[in-house]
Amino acid sequence: MNYISLDDYKKAWVFRHKDAPVTEQDLALIKPMSHERAAVLWSTMVSREHDHPDFFEKTDWCGNEDNFSQTIHWEAAWEAGAEQLPAEILAHLGWQANTTVYFCIARDNIIETSFDVFKRNWQNFMFLADGSLLLGKKRDEVVQFLETGDAKLGIKSQVK
């Protein structure tokens, strides 16, 4: 089984927050991965060595600052209730609406959805911003959302 029910997801409250409602249609497309599937994807796309962004090192592509070209502040838009992600993030990614995206929180905690669903509900995902990475399937662009309210825009290199 590749996914768990959103009802069984321990952080599902972020998608049921009264101040940021998510439509039933979008809830059906927000798919937390099973621990096993998340671990495989994390090892393939993020890090073979470290389980959480707090532990990334320069030897991980995501811990190497050379892979990130710009840092922007997302939190002001979030606090203002902006419907859209900051323009710099959208411009950096340039992904189509149907691009499969992975919101990678930790080795055992990854959420899969489409970029369109992520964009509509980005406010909810930001409750989980703790070094979390937004990756696209077969895409090199990446955003790392930090709990400081910043986002690092970068290009993913191969996992070593």
Side-chain angles (χ1 to χ4, degrees):
M1 186 161 118
N2 287 333
Y3 305 101
I4 60 173
S5 160
L6 198 54
D7 291 334
D8 295 332
Y9 182 58
K10 64 185 174 187
K11 296 184 181 195
W13 68 268
V14 305
F15 303 111
R16 295 192 172 97
H17 198 279
K18 66 178 172 60
D19 293 332
V22 177
T23 66
E24 288 299 321
Q25 294 88 345
D26 282 354
L27 284 173
L29 298 171
I30 296 171
K31 304 183 294 190
M33 291 184 174
S34 67
H35 293 310
E36 297 79 16
R37 173 72 178 117
V40 169
L41 189 130
W42 183 275
S43 293
T44 303
M45 295 181 74
V46 179
S47 174
R48 290 192 180 117
E49 302 295 322
H50 301 98
D51 294 344
H52 189 275
D54 287 349
F55 306 116
F56 290 154
E57 294 179 3
K58 199 170 179 100
T59 54
D60 297 302
W61 71 262
C62 38
N64 185 342
E65 290 301 318
D66 293 343
N67 291 320
F68 295 91
S69 59
Q70 184 180 6
T71 300
I72 62 120
H73 196 68
W74 61 261
E75 193 171 44
W78 186 78
E79 287 179 350
E83 287 187 29
Q84 292 204 357
L85 281 159
E88 299 93 340
I89 293 174
L90 294 173
H92 172 70
L93 296 176
W95 296 339
Q96 296 83 9
N98 66 347
T99 300
T100 299
V101 299
Y102 308 108
F103 193 74
C104 304
I105 302 160
R107 181 179 301 275
D108 63 352
N109 192 355
I110 297 176
I111 300 169
E112 179 181 316
T113 194
S114 69
F115 189 45
D116 201 33
V117 170
F118 181 84
K119 288 189 304 183
R120 278 195 300 273
N121 302 289
W122 78 279
Q123 293 257 340
N124 303 80
F125 282 92
M126 291 306 100
F127 284 111
L128 304 171
D130 182 18
S132 307
L133 296 160
L134 180 66
L135 305 173
K137 184 176 186 178
K138 298 181 181 177
R139 301 293 192 276
D140 292 328
E141 303 84 8
V142 61
V143 178
Q144 184 174 25
F145 295 97
L146 306 172
E147 65 183 40
T148 61
D150 290 331
K152 297 189 315 186
L153 311 181
I155 301 295
K156 178 174 71 72
S157 63
Q158 296 299 314
V159 176
K160 297 177 183 173

